[in-house]
Amino acid sequence: MSEHESTYVPKTGFERWLDTRLPIIRFAADYATIPTPKNLNYWWTFGGILALCLVIQIVTGIVLVMHYTPNADLAFASVEHIMRDVRHGWMIRYIHSNGASMFFLAVYIHMLRGLYYGSYKAPREMIWILGVVLFLLMMATAFLGYVLPWGQMSFHGAVVITNLIGSIPIVGESITTWLWGGFAVDNPTLNRFFSLHYLLPFVIAGVVVLHLWALHAAGQNNPVGILIPQEQRSRDTVPFHPYYTVKDGFAIILFLMLFAVFVFFNPNALGHADNYIPANPLVTPAHIVPEWYLLPFYAMLRAVPDKFLGVLVMFGSIGLLFVLPWLDTSKVRSMRYRPAMRWFFFIFVLVAFMLGWCGAKAPTDQLIPGIETFQLFDGDLNSYLWLSRLLTLYYFAFFLIIMPWVGLRETPLPVPESISSPVLSGHGSVPTGAVADAEKKG
Amino acid sequence: MKLSVVKTLASGVAALALVGAAAPALASGGAEHPKEVPFSFEGPLGKFDQAQLQRGYKVYREVCSACHSMNLMSFRNLGQETGPFWDPKFKHNPNDNPYVKAIAAEYEVDDIDSETGEPIKRKATPADRFPSPYPNATAAAAANGGAAPPDLSVMAKARHGGARYIYSILTGYVNPPAGLHVGNNQHYNPYFPGDLTSAWHGDHKHTPKGGFIAMPQPLTAGQVTFDDGTKSTLEQQAKDVSAFIAWASDPKATERKQTGVAVMIFLALFAGLTYASYRRIWRGIAH
């Protein structure tokens, strides 16, 4: 809610002096009092949680760098040195490694919230697009960071992912050699990955600023999904502080409790045991699997028999999100009022989970053990390979077919005129006159 | 309002549960699940049993260390808090612990003469690392039929199942089932991950679980004499050395769990306080 009047009044002489030269206190004060829809539910707290995740990762990361050695012969031992000899080093390192998982858990919830409540639709396309950029940067940063301990999974994961780039026709091999800094994943690769792993979080922080700028230019979405008319503003919004600082704060503490359960009581549950074996180029692990948060994309990659096409599908699955605002033809933002689409959405969430499940399995494994079926092209029908293909198909169909088609065909439920009306009168008892003309509401 | 918190949390927990459920699927193929042997240090409040760690160290020293290195361990670690020879009397400097000094002094390590620079041998101090049994990995492989014995420093973290896996391997050696071809320098162990399809000449639907391990059965009953009078069965030795390796893999586990309890209590109180503030601030706002 960008255009809200500044209510900041400098109180001291210094504040008045500063306000005409660098109005930074005014900026912060206006930011804190931004009118925010009063009906935001707990799904909206993940933005604040993500901001905290980024800060935690950067702070713990900077401390880890003070003790880490980016050298292929020393990296593994230096990580263990942090865990054994650095005071509270185990805590810093486990916060950082589990922090990546927590970061992705929060970002997936945040993205699904945006998808469900139509937060990507006009006028919020830029918020969403910058969010997809952030997601890609996060994935790159997480991958680079996972390589740094130089364990077996670090090394062979780096080999698999960089080899994907080699599948690009004509230029692929040159790019791979350039990335590796040689003709195989080795010490130069570790050094440049370390450098980039330190750089990218600050790029993320910069894009977060743009993400927030876009958010405050277009205004926050809300579970009802309507724009708040100017005359309703005093009834339908509350100042961000203290209303949402305290609500976000409460959610953040609950999130930290989940975080702490992993860090203090099960710090290696989300990792892979093989990464505690020092990297050995001559021994390939039985199953090379990425961290859990990349598994759905890994499943899509392996679902395609051709390597380069697989890479295209994998990147396409995220690239698609950039044009999502224009694939959705519905005039109604919130799926709360979209009786058909919300079911396709719930299936989509299930499909995403199942893709993750497939990513953790060997493609040739039997889906239902012990049942013989028939060979369909290159794999048995009763295998994770074919399940992955089916799920990948749904993933793409959801955005490319279901979303445009259902948006045109579906009859949405009546959308309330304002946030206060459903709050005051309860869901469903909205007068018929209040049926949304989404065009008018923007 | 409460319901939506529960729903949000439930979704998060469900997501993690799915991840957790997927993890065992990542474990390598057809090995038997590790034996259900309980350890004192398991669970959110579990602690290491010092007497067990001392026995386990003895097993490591007298048996394992003949072939396996522990490159990340120094003698000083033995006297540190939660370690086998921790003594609160020396909490300001565990390196003064006479047990640790005496253990270190039993080893000779390479050094150089500080005057002449000539290579010399000297008695180890608590600051020195555990010496490796072989000068390098190639020598270790050459002396062991081509397979270098892995370093044991973080072994409990580097295998699914941790201490239970180590225990199961050590106590899991059995005669190979009829129809399984066991090659030279190989030993059948149903708890060792592997794929026996190519060596199996029996019914193809029932390929035995497990794999071939280069290490012959390392422990037998009575092999190590325990100083505290504990009966030296195979199971006892295996359990004690598994506990020792679990401690060496994660020597800060106890500190971590104790910190965690304090953190959880703090966060729970903080959450309650914040929730109360939230209710108070939002009182009177319909939402």
Side-chain angles (χ1 to χ4, degrees):
Chain A
M1 317 261 117
S2 48
E3 65 281 27
H4 91 282
E5 297 280 317
S6 181
T7 52
Y8 168 70
V9 183
K11 289 191 188 73
T12 63
F14 171 72
E15 281 180 65
R16 277 190 293 278
W17 179 86
L18 190 67
D19 199 44
T20 50
R21 287 160 180 82
L22 178 70
I24 191 166
I25 302 177
R26 175 178 301 279
F27 180 78
D30 291 350
Y31 221 86
T33 54
I34 254 169
T36 310
K38 65 180 185 181
N39 61 337
L40 301 187
N41 56 31
Y42 276 100
W43 298 109
W44 257 265
T45 59
F46 283 90
I49 287 170
L50 283 163
L52 181 74
C53 284
L54 180 62
V55 171
I56 288 175
Q57 290 305 87
I58 288 179
V59 170
T60 53
I62 287 171
V63 179
L64 287 174
V65 169
M66 295 173 188
H67 305 283
Y68 169 77
T69 312
N71 176 293
D73 295 328
L74 306 171
F76 186 89
S78 77
V79 171
E80 278 299 321
H81 157 71
I82 291 170
M83 306 265 284
R84 288 154 185 270
D85 296 330
V86 174
R87 180 165 287 231
H88 292 118
W90 55 268
M91 180 158 39
I92 299 162
R93 197 251 166 163
Y94 279 146
I95 289 175
H96 197 74
S97 58
N98 285 287
S101 283
M102 293 297 125
F103 208 152
F104 274 94
L105 173 68
V107 88
Y108 282 131
I109 296 174
H110 191 62
M111 290 166 80
L112 288 173
R113 188 270 291 160
L115 199 57
Y116 184 80
Y117 292 109
S119 300
Y120 49 87
K121 289 198 208 190
R124 300 189 181 87
E125 298 95 324
M126 278 314 293
I127 310 174
W128 175 264
I129 288 169
L130 289 165
V132 180
V133 172
L134 285 169
F135 178 54
L136 281 172
L137 285 169
M138 273 177 67
M139 289 171 92
T141 310
F143 162 69
L144 294 169
Y146 192 66
V147 175
L148 302 186
W150 213 242
Q152 273 291 66
M153 222 33 106
S154 297
F155 180 88
H156 292 280
V159 171
V160 169
I161 301 297
T162 49
N163 269 322
L164 294 179
I165 294 158
S167 72
I168 301 170
I170 305 164
V171 291
E173 276 190 37
S174 315
I175 295 176
T176 313
T177 308
W178 177 70
L179 275 178
W180 284 342
F183 297 98
V185 174
D186 206 339
N187 195 51
T189 324
L190 175 60
N191 276 281
R192 57 195 59 200
F193 278 22
F194 175 56
S195 169
L196 294 174
H197 183 68
Y198 206 124
L199 169 71
L200 286 188
F202 296 98
V203 178
I204 291 179
V207 181
V208 166
V209 171
L210 298 181
H211 190 62
L212 289 176
W213 188 2
L215 173 72
H216 290 137
Q220 291 223 345
N221 189 24
N222 63 77
V224 178
I226 55 170
L227 292 185
I228 299 167
Q230 192 66 39
E231 65 276 10
Q232 283 287 345
R233 182 165 289 179
S234 56
R235 278 180 67 202
D236 284 356
T237 67
V238 288
F240 187 84
H241 180 74
Y243 291 94
Y244 283 106
T245 38
V246 73
K247 187 168 181 171
D248 282 2
F250 175 58
I252 283 171
I253 296 165
L254 293 186
F255 184 80
L256 287 179
M257 290 177 83
L258 177 71
F259 198 149
V261 166
F262 280 101
V263 169
F264 295 103
F265 300 109
N266 224 340
N268 294 311
L270 299 170
H272 197 293
D274 279 19
N275 224 28
Y276 280 109
I277 304 170
N280 183 351
L282 303 178
V283 179
T284 310
H287 296 292
I288 301 174
V289 281
E291 293 285 82
W292 69 267
Y293 41 80
L294 301 177
L295 287 174
F297 302 99
Y298 192 53
M300 288 195 243
L301 169 77
R302 293 192 305 181
V304 183
D306 180 81
K307 197 170 168 189
F308 180 55
L309 285 178
V311 173
L312 286 184
V313 165
M314 182 174 72
F315 284 107
S317 68
I318 300 164
L320 208 53
L321 300 176
F322 282 108
V323 290
L324 173 66
W326 297 277
L327 291 172
D328 189 349
T329 52
S330 174
K331 301 261 191 275
V332 176
R333 287 198 190 83
S334 175
M335 286 196 203
R336 203 179 259 187
Y337 307 103
R338 301 187 59 191
M341 194 58 198
R342 65 198 307 240
W343 285 108
F344 287 109
F345 170 82
F346 292 135
I347 295 168
F348 175 80
V349 176
L350 189 70
V351 162
F353 273 119
M354 286 170 70
L355 273 170
W357 176 258
C358 290
K361 293 281 189 179
T364 48
D365 279 359
Q366 283 194 324
L367 185 59
I368 308 158
I371 295 179
E372 300 281 334
T373 56
F374 57 93
Q375 189 83 4
L376 183 64
F377 300 115
D378 57 342
D380 195 278
L381 188 65
N382 179 22
S383 68
Y384 282 94
L385 179 70
W386 276 105
L387 180 64
S388 305
R389 285 177 180 169
L390 197 70
L391 298 170
T392 306
L393 206 64
Y394 184 87
Y395 182 97
F396 280 88
F398 177 77
F399 293 109
L400 293 174
I401 299 167
I402 296 171
M403 203 165 245
W405 185 71
V406 173
L408 295 174
R409 295 296 305 271
E410 178 183 54
T411 313
L413 299 176
V415 177
E417 280 286 352
S418 75
I419 289 173
S420 299
S421 41
V423 167
L424 296 177
S425 53
H427 298 280
S429 58
V430 182
T432 37
V435 171
D437 180 355
E439 209 61 61
K440 199 169 71 196
K441 288 189 178 55
Chain B
M1 192 53 60
K2 260 229 160 117
L3 190 69
S4 54
V5 185
V6 172
K7 263 161 53 184
T8 310
L9 279 179
S11 322
V13 170
L16 290 166
L18 208 87
V19 171
L26 309 177
S28 345
E32 292 283 356
H33 278 288
K35 297 178 183 177
E36 298 284 330
V37 52
F39 283 97
S40 65
F41 50 82
E42 290 174 329
L45 301 171
K47 286 179 180 170
F48 294 106
D49 171 353
Q50 193 174 27
Q52 182 173 50
L53 293 185
Q54 290 184 3
R55 294 194 299 271
Y57 173 64
K58 193 168 190 194
V59 177
Y60 165 74
R61 208 170 100 122
E62 293 185 6
V63 185
C64 317
S65 71
C67 304
H68 290 276
S69 59
M70 271 188 124
N71 288 333
L72 299 172
M73 294 293 290
S74 301
F75 293 106
R76 65 185 166 84
N77 295 130
L78 296 171
Q80 284 177 352
E81 206 167 344
T82 78
F85 298 99
W86 160 248
D87 184 343
K89 257 195 295 189
F90 303 100
K91 67 178 175 190
H92 297 297
N93 187 359
N95 298 351
D96 289 340
N97 185 316
Y99 283 101
V100 175
K101 282 182 159 174
I103 289 166
E106 288 170 18
Y107 290 86
E108 290 229 306
V109 291
D110 292 322
D111 205 344
I112 54 163
D113 187 298
S114 58
E115 300 284 322
T116 65
E118 292 293 316
I120 54 162
K121 291 268 186 194
R122 63 161 173 81
K123 283 181 175 181
T125 68
D128 284 303
R129 301 215 170 224
F130 286 11
S132 294
Y134 301 103
N136 54 57
T138 312
N144 289 281
D151 186 86
L152 296 181
S153 309
V154 290
M155 187 50 79
K157 288 194 293 191
R159 296 291 184 276
H160 285 290
R164 291 184 179 203
Y165 168 83
I166 298 167
Y167 173 86
S168 304
I169 288 286
L170 293 175
T171 59
Y173 286 86
V174 288
N175 289 328
L180 188 68
H181 176 74
V182 184
N184 285 339
N185 295 324
Q186 287 188 326
H187 309 87
Y188 171 65
N189 193 317
Y191 299 94
F192 191 70
D195 185 353
L196 299 177
T197 318
S198 58
W200 176 242
H201 302 296
D203 178 6
H204 273 280
K205 279 192 175 163
H206 298 98
T207 310
K209 286 188 170 185
F212 294 130
I213 183 168
M215 173 173 73
Q217 179 170 346
L219 290 171
T220 50
Q223 191 164 352
V224 176
T225 309
F226 290 129
D227 303 326
D228 60 2
T230 305
K231 194 159 182 272
S232 177
T233 60
L234 167 63
E235 287 74 18
Q236 187 67 46
Q237 295 171 75
K239 198 174 172 193
D240 292 345
V241 79
S242 302
F244 172 71
I245 293 171
W247 167 77
S249 301
D250 196 1
K252 298 296 170 80
T254 309
E255 183 188 348
R256 169 164 59 75
K257 291 171 186 175
Q258 285 171 347
T259 312
V261 170
V263 167
M264 292 308 287
I265 292 171
F266 168 77
L267 285 176
L269 294 175
F270 195 14
L273 202 65
T274 314
Y275 188 69
S277 320
Y278 162 71
R279 290 300 296 261
R280 191 184 165 95
I281 287 170
W282 280 80
R283 194 168 47 197
I285 306 252
H287 64 287

